[in-house]
Amino acid sequence: MTESIQIFITGGTFDKEYNFVNGQLFFRDSHLPEMLERGRCSLDIDIKTLMMVDSLEMTEEDREIIIHNCHKTKSRHILITHGTDTMTLTASALAKENIEGKTIVLTGAMIPYAFGNSSDGFFNLGSALAFVQMLEPGVYIVMNGRYFPWNGVEKNTKTGYFEEKQTEL
């Protein structure tokens, strides 16, 4: 029997919509339920929306809400959808909390799911669901089909990919 996976939604490009009139991106509702249904997901999942914010606008108070909910959930497998711009900051805040016995995976998208086949969100969600079940307890970022320890990853703003953090000599 598989354990339940807790998904916390925080917003980010993953869940943005496009306003065709003014060209702005905005939040309506999360695409997660539709994505899980479309992917024929048969896992035991509990989804909770914590906030719908662009990660560049995420505050320390928002991160405290995420941390509090990770402590509170009974699930040992936690997946957090998050904007990619400050995903590493939230991962760091979670790791410093030393939440024992839980595997916490953050994932997101560079292109909104609402943009259809050009979005990486569907692929990243599927990868994150697999990794959250398999990795040892700790905090990870899952993007582009790979997982990274929270302190060993950075977003390459030139390529749009997450990569192993380059250590300085």
Side-chain angles (χ1 to χ4, degrees):
M1 181 173 151
T2 60
E3 277 191 53
S4 174
I5 298 171
Q6 176 70 64
I7 298 179
F8 291 131
I9 297 166
T10 68
T13 299
F14 204 90
D15 276 321
K16 287 196 173 174
E17 299 276 347
Y18 181 70
N19 182 322
F20 292 98
V21 176
N22 65 17
Q24 299 289 315
L25 293 173
F26 69 98
F27 293 107
R28 183 177 295 143
D29 291 317
S30 177
H31 299 289
L32 257 291
E34 175 188 336
M35 294 172 79
L36 293 168
E37 184 177 326
R38 182 174 164 219
R40 299 178 47 121
C41 182
S42 61
L43 298 169
D44 180 13
I45 293 177
D46 179 42
I47 301 173
K48 182 176 181 184
T49 301
L50 301 182
M51 62 203 66
M52 294 289 270
V53 298
D54 185 295
S55 72
L56 289 173
E57 298 172 4
M58 187 172 280
T59 65
E60 290 309 309
E61 290 79 18
D62 292 330
R63 286 188 180 86
E64 286 299 320
I65 291 169
I66 295 168
I67 290 165
H68 170 77
N69 279 275
C70 287
H71 275 297
K72 192 173 116 186
T73 184
K74 290 181 173 51
S75 179
R76 294 183 307 131
H77 305 289
I78 303 167
L79 191 159
I80 301 169
T81 63
H82 197 288
T84 61
D85 288 316
T86 64
M87 187 183 287
T88 57
L89 295 176
T90 301
S92 175
L94 283 160
K96 288 176 183 164
E97 281 295 310
N98 200 18
I99 302 171
E100 291 189 33
K102 295 184 181 186
T103 303
I104 302 172
V105 167
L106 291 88
T107 195
M110 299 299 290
I111 302 167
Y113 173 75
F115 282 25
N117 291 337
S118 65
S119 175
D120 56 334
F122 199 61
F123 179 74
N124 290 337
L125 176 63
S127 297
L129 284 169
F131 281 123
V132 78
Q133 296 175 81
M134 304 306 294
L135 292 170
E136 295 295 317
V139 179
Y140 305 90
I141 288 179
V142 171
M143 292 289 293
N144 316 114
R146 299 178 65 192
Y147 78 89
F148 304 90
W150 70 271
N151 59 350
V153 62
E154 60 190 358
K155 180 180 174 182
N156 183 327
T157 56
K158 290 183 177 83
T159 65
Y161 288 93
F162 278 73
E163 303 170 343
E164 286 183 44
K165 186 182 283 187
Q166 301 301 311
T167 56
E168 296 181 27
L169 300 175

